[in-house]
Amino acid sequence: MAEQNSAVAAPLVLGMMRLAEQKHLHAPAQLADWIERRIQQGLNWFDHADIYGDGRCESLFGAALAQRPELKSQLHLISKADIVKVARDSSPWNVTYYDSSPDYLEVSVNGSLERLGVERLDMFLLHRPDPLLDAEPVARMLERLIQSGKVAQIGVSNFTPEQWRLLQQALGSRLSCNQIELSLRVTTPLFDGTSEAMQRDGLQMLAWSPLAGGRLEEEGLGVMLQEMQDQTGCGPVGLAMAWLRRIPGTPVPVLGSFNEARIADALAGCQFDMRRSDWFALLEMARGQRVP
Ligand SMILES: NC(=O)c1ccc[n+]([C@@H]2O[C@H](COP(=O)([O-])OP(=O)(O)OC[C@H]3O[C@@H](n4cnc5c(N)ncnc54)[C@H](OP(=O)(O)O)[C@@H]3O)[C@@H](O)[C@H]2O)c1
């Protein structure tokens, strides 16, 4: 088993995909206050991508940091690139496509640094596996980004084992993580070998949409989470985090909530040691089928 990179040293990463929708945080001072409160809680990793709000999420965050520059040295930033959304497609086809070409990645990283107003990303991820990815030239560009100091660590997102191993083989430095969709509602990576392959290769698992984008507490699972809250004192969001962190390798949830009560519940859940029987009961309810 490879030694795991301790890429993200925090119980949770805060996802910024929905920042542009948070109108109450658009004023730089308000957002700076919000960021500062998160740092005081020990939550100092923030997940961005060039496509979030078509660059607006990074720009809003950058404006807050410009207002309060002392925060920059207290936080860690992740960004991702390689998805070109349909709105940015200049071809006649109106198509979303992936671009992992070295030139595109370099321009994307420079754009994120400029919008965020920082000189370095703590982690840069290839956002989605690109079937046209040419591993050798991509690896050379990623190494140049590290050597130039623009990026501290490289990772991937939504990659299968063969996809990350091809890139890893060409790269001089270790891939730090794979950011994948994982929650009580999306459990496939626990049963198709992805989780085990990440442990074996030493990639930290970052779990995106840990609350299933807001669907976690619907239907029978919501009822069971409430019952478990009565028994344990841990809230539904906290239980969802505890469930994720019980998985070997201790995945780090990338939480998309901006609600302070939900964030506090999530943080408390990261300290909660879930029993095996509770873990399987939640799995069974979420999948709607008995554990055989
Ligand atoms: N790598 C990738 O391909 C990829 C893809 C998608 C996302 N991500 C990353 O993952 C992060 C999290 O994704 P996500 O936002 O989908 O995650 P999430 O944490 O599963 O969902 C958060 C959303 O659900 C809402 N919500 C949670 N509980 C709710 C409830 N009981 N009732 C109503 N609404 C509720 C939250 O609203 P409140 O703010 O009101 O709590 C928020 O809008 C993103 O910000 C991004 O950084 C990565």
Side-chain angles (χ1 to χ4, degrees):
M1 184 118 13
E3 190 187 329
Q4 180 164 358
N5 290 337
S6 198
V8 171
L12 298 170
V13 170
L14 295 165
M16 295 293 108
M17 180 177 74
R18 301 176 196 270
L19 177 57
E21 299 160 27
Q22 313 299 316
K23 295 221 165 46
H24 65 292
L25 296 177
H26 283 194
Q30 299 283 85
L31 181 54
D33 286 346
W34 187 90
I35 295 169
E36 197 164 11
R37 287 197 294 279
R38 301 293 76 77
I39 293 171
Q40 284 162 359
Q41 286 176 299
L43 299 175
N44 58 355
W45 280 82
F46 298 85
D47 183 70
H48 288 270
D50 58 348
I51 57 167
Y52 293 166
D54 195 21
R56 185 144 161 71
C57 297
E58 288 183 334
S59 297
L60 287 165
F61 203 92
L65 295 183
Q67 173 107 157
R68 206 140 332 141
E70 65 273 21
L71 294 180
K72 290 184 190 180
S73 61
Q74 301 172 44
L75 51 74
H76 300 277
L77 296 172
I78 302 173
S79 195
K80 329 182 199 68
D82 83 6
I83 302 175
V84 182
K85 299 288 272 187
V86 62
R88 289 268 166 181
D89 175 26
S90 53
S91 82
W93 311 116
N94 289 326
V95 65
T96 289
Y97 61 95
Y98 303 154
D99 191 345
S100 61
S101 62
D103 289 352
Y104 183 82
L105 296 179
E106 184 176 29
V107 169
S108 296
V109 167
N110 287 336
S112 290
L113 292 173
E114 200 178 318
R115 285 188 292 276
L116 291 163
V118 296
E119 288 173 5
R120 188 180 79 151
L121 295 175
D122 295 283
M123 215 182 267
F124 173 65
L125 315 185
L126 296 181
H127 203 156
R128 289 214 172 250
D130 173 10
L132 305 184
L133 183 143
D134 194 351
E136 286 294 337
V138 170
R140 298 294 82 74
M141 172 50 73
L142 295 174
E143 285 161 0
R144 278 200 292 283
L145 288 169
I146 291 179
Q147 281 152 15
S148 67
K150 290 182 177 179
V151 167
Q153 298 186 65
I154 299 290
V156 292
S157 180
N158 305 302
F159 272 46
T160 66
E162 283 313 310
Q163 289 164 340
W164 80 61
R165 284 171 187 158
L166 180 72
L167 181 62
Q168 181 63 86
Q169 193 175 279
L171 254 184
S173 58
R174 287 272 300 279
L175 286 172
S176 59
C177 70
N178 189 19
Q179 187 178 125
I180 56 171
E181 184 174 19
L182 181 66
S183 69
L184 271 159
R185 297 273 184 208
V186 177
T187 57
T188 317
L190 303 182
F191 297 99
D192 67 359
T194 304
S195 172
E196 290 78 5
M198 286 172 63
Q199 292 169 57
R200 190 174 151 181
D201 290 1
L203 269 74
Q204 188 176 38
M205 190 187 290
L206 304 184
W208 62 262
S209 290
L211 306 180
R215 293 181 297 110
L216 185 81
E217 292 174 59
E218 292 172 3
E219 302 161 349
L221 181 59
V223 175
M224 183 176 260
L225 286 166
Q226 284 298 334
E227 282 174 22
M228 223 174 255
Q229 173 174 18
D230 296 341
Q231 290 165 16
T232 63
C234 187
V237 172
L239 289 166
M241 301 303 118
W243 187 88
L244 281 168
R245 290 177 61 82
R246 186 71 177 74
I247 296 163
T250 323
V252 179
V254 185
L255 186 73
S257 176
F258 285 84
N259 176 299
E260 309 224 3
R262 273 199 263 275
I263 294 170
D265 184 4
L267 194 52
C270 291
Q271 306 300 323
F272 182 73
D273 193 9
M274 184 172 279
R275 289 187 307 188
R276 271 176 189 268
S277 53
D278 290 352
W279 194 92
F280 278 95
L282 288 170
L283 175 76
E284 196 170 87
M285 178 58 81
R287 298 210 300 180
Q289 60 190 67
R290 288 270 177 208
V291 173

